[in-house]
Amino acid sequence: MSDERPTAYDPYDADRPLMLRCACGEDHAPQDHGKAVATADAANAMQAPPAPVSEEQLGREFIEAALVKALFPREPIRRAFLKAVGRRTAMAAIASVLPVASLQAMAQEKKAPEKKDLKVGFIAITCASPLIMADPLGFYRQQGLNVQLMKTAGWALIRDKILNNEYDATHFLSPMPLAISLGLGSTQTPMNVATIQNTNGQAITLHVKHKDRRDPKTWKGFRFAVPFDYSMHNFLLRYYLAEHGLNPDTDVQIRVTPPPEMVANLRAGNIDGFLGPDPFNQRAVFDEVGFIHILSREIWDGHPCCAFGLSESFIQQNPATYAALFRAVLTAAAMAREAKNRELIAKVISPTQYLNQPEAVVSQVLTGRFADGLGNVRNVPERADFDPVPWQSMAVWMLTQMQRWGYLKGDVNYRQVAEKVFLLTDAKKYMKELGQPVPDGAYKKFKVMGREFDPAKPADYLKSFPIHRMA
């Protein structure tokens, strides 16, 4: 950022409102400035054109103003802050938490998006932080996109809307594109995972009446909620129960419940617990109806949860739009991975149009400093993370669990499905383009409850489980 002169939008001027219209004063976006000027010139050739304004400069100034606007959505607060600390101090402070310089430096060659006006679905959970924050922080606009985020009640509705082309792209549970591509639970439609939205960030939460029943072996007859059959929540809960000797299909009940309804069902006694997404684990603690039994990272540290995805047909028809979406979400993920940005992110995604949660609840989830409902304040910075890499070994593990629990029948070409659905090559390409670290390989190994998963031997892994539903 430069403080040599006020910018066209000047978010650091405490004496005037922050406008996000074009610098020429007309009500159009900066990227449409040239077109608007040309239209005006044609209508009145005798009138001298306005002073030339570089579209590149407009873009740089607009993104900075958008970021500051997201940080201070209420004008009186922004102005009071600026008057209290001064212009230079404010610029330095804001630059320390917002990726202004890196965004303004993005000058790689881009083709214009084929489709600029997009509808992107999301569920109101912290798993979707990168996808959500890209809206108030201006990352979509930086890529020439006008994205309307569509808050959606549940995962079945997300699936139906992407299949009916009502959404152009969407927040997914990471196993969902695999299931849809295989025709499990829906019409078979090629679907893709562009990025993983979040890693870790879930928990098993139990009703407060079960504080003295921490041993899973005592949970026979418990009723649990998960958000969807084809979810990491379902697979991780089943894995955890089975490792403690419980058959998840006969010893307990597992019911699908939309995430926003989990806390209410816990309060009403309809369920004994849930393995669900945040912020609802923390909200149960906040409302004093539940406690956090175990974080999902204690089952599998670094596990994927949600994803950002699109249909194969949309990608083929709109390659430049796809690339622009990819860049916006990856930029957001890189910012979300930095611990210093977590409180800011909690601030911008908590409002009504996004998570509609108390900022204190969301902040506890994202910073990892939280009350667990058992009288402890824990500090687990890795509680939630946002590594965007769609490792194909993760897809293979999900396929083994679909087979294990009877969702997927018969032989499976694990690598073929994983490589078709999880777009790791594209993720690496755009990460490199953005100057982000690019990992090697595609099939990294990992451990789930201490047991190593070798993606080169999925059939052997599958056969090693004594509790399953395979024929």
Side-chain angles (χ1 to χ4, degrees), residues 117-194:
D117 296 326
L118 304 173
K119 289 185 177 180
V120 175
F122 79 101
I123 302 288
I125 54 180
T126 53
C127 305
S129 293
L131 186 157
I132 295 171
M133 63 189 269
D135 181 33
L137 294 180
F139 299 166
Y140 295 122
R141 291 191 294 274
Q142 173 68 10
Q143 298 298 331
L145 301 173
N146 177 29
V147 168
Q148 183 180 3
L149 291 184
M150 309 297 294
K151 187 186 290 190
T152 311
W155 292 108
L157 195 54
I158 284 276
R159 176 199 61 205
D160 294 344
K161 286 185 176 291
I162 194 74
L163 287 175
N164 293 334
N165 298 315
E166 294 178 54
Y167 292 167
D168 299 292
T170 193
H171 175 197
F172 273 127
L173 295 161
S174 52
M176 285 177 66
L178 292 166
I180 296 170
S181 295
L182 292 168
L184 304 178
S186 70
T187 303
Q188 186 172 9
T189 306
M191 204 66 61
N192 293 118
V193 169

Side-chain angles (χ1 to χ4, degrees), residues 9 53 80 211 247 260 273 292 314 325 327 383 386 392 449:
Y9 305 95
V53 181
K211 285 185 177 180
N247 188 318
I292 295 174
F314 183 91
L325 281 168
R327 287 190 293 263
R383 174 176 177 172
F386 301 95
Q392 286 156 350
M449 294 188 71

Side-chain angles (χ1 to χ4, degrees), residues 194-216:
T195 71
I196 297 298
Q197 278 286 287
N198 72 301
T199 54
N200 299 335
Q202 325 301 318
I204 295 178
T205 296
L206 298 179
H207 194 285
V208 288
K209 68 183 179 183
H210 296 310
K211 285 185 177 180
D212 295 327
R213 298 183 68 178
R214 300 295 306 282
D215 184 351

Side-chain angles (χ1 to χ4, degrees), residues 25-348:
E26 296 300 322
D27 190 16
H28 55 251
Q31 61 265 29
D32 296 329
H33 174 78
K35 181 179 179 181
V37 169
T39 302
D41 286 349
N44 188 0
M46 297 299 293
Q47 184 177 347
V53 181
S54 160
E55 291 191 23
E56 182 179 355
Q57 176 68 11
L58 285 171
R60 288 197 301 268
E61 294 176 356
F62 182 79
I63 193 67
E64 184 171 346
L67 292 169
V68 175
K69 184 72 172 177
L71 185 58
F72 298 104
R74 295 181 60 199
E75 278 292 295
I77 295 176
R78 181 183 68 89
R79 295 186 192 184
F81 171 72
L82 291 169
K83 288 179 178 179
V85 303
R87 182 186 187 86
R88 287 176 179 269
T89 302
M91 293 174 75
I94 290 169
S96 71
V97 296
L98 294 175
V100 176
S102 61
L103 283 170
Q104 292 178 341
M106 288 167 62
Q108 65 272 13
E109 183 68 24
K110 306 186 191 78
K111 293 181 180 178
E114 298 87 358
K115 186 175 184 180
K116 293 183 178 181
D117 296 326
L118 304 173
K119 289 185 177 180
V120 175
F122 79 101
I123 302 288
I125 54 180
T126 53
C127 305
S129 293
L131 186 157
I132 295 171
M133 63 189 269
D135 181 33
L137 294 180
F139 299 166
Y140 295 122
R141 291 191 294 274
Q142 173 68 10
Q143 298 298 331
L145 301 173
N146 177 29
V147 168
Q148 183 180 3
L149 291 184
M150 309 297 294
K151 187 186 290 190
T152 311
W155 292 108
L157 195 54
I158 284 276
R159 176 199 61 205
D160 294 344
K161 286 185 176 291
I162 194 74
L163 287 175
N164 293 334
N165 298 315
E166 294 178 54
Y167 292 167
D168 299 292
T170 193
H171 175 197
F172 273 127
L173 295 161
S174 52
M176 285 177 66
L178 292 166
I180 296 170
S181 295
L182 292 168
L184 304 178
S186 70
T187 303
Q188 186 172 9
T189 306
M191 204 66 61
N192 293 118
V193 169
T195 71
I196 297 298
Q197 278 286 287
N198 72 301
T199 54
N200 299 335
Q202 325 301 318
I204 295 178
T205 296
L206 298 179
H207 194 285
V208 288
K209 68 183 179 183
H210 296 310
K211 285 185 177 180
D212 295 327
R213 298 183 68 178
R214 300 295 306 282
D215 184 351
K217 292 183 177 65
T218 69
W219 292 356
K220 277 195 175 184
F222 270 27
R223 295 158 299 172
F224 288 99
V226 296
F228 201 62
D229 285 335
Y230 301 103
S231 69
M232 287 298 295
H233 311 82
N234 185 27
F235 300 153
L236 290 176
L237 177 61
R238 287 171 171 274
Y239 196 108
Y240 183 77
L241 293 170
E243 288 295 295
H244 287 91
L246 295 179
N247 188 318
D249 289 308
T250 58
D251 293 331
V252 302
Q253 294 180 38
I254 299 178
R255 59 184 66 171
V256 171
T257 305
E261 299 176 15
M262 287 182 170
V263 175
N265 275 275
L266 193 68
R267 181 185 292 108
N270 297 329
I271 56 175
D272 296 284
F274 59 84
L275 200 161
D278 274 312
F280 297 108
N281 302 289
Q282 202 60 49
R283 185 61 190 260
V285 174
F286 184 81
D287 290 352
E288 299 183 344
V289 298
F291 68 92
I292 295 174
H293 167 70
I294 189 174
L295 297 176
S296 58
R297 70 174 294 272
E298 298 172 67
I299 301 173
W300 170 3
D301 191 11
H303 73 82
C305 182
C306 289
F308 177 66
L310 316 87
S311 68
E312 184 178 279
S313 62
F314 183 91
I315 295 172
Q316 291 172 348
Q317 294 165 18
N318 305 279
T321 302
Y322 164 65
L325 281 168
F326 225 132
R327 287 190 293 263
V329 174
L330 284 174
T331 300
M335 182 179 175
R337 298 210 71 188
E338 296 286 341
K340 67 180 182 179
N341 297 326
R342 296 293 178 82
E343 290 188 4
L344 165 65
I345 294 168
K347 180 181 182 68
V348 302

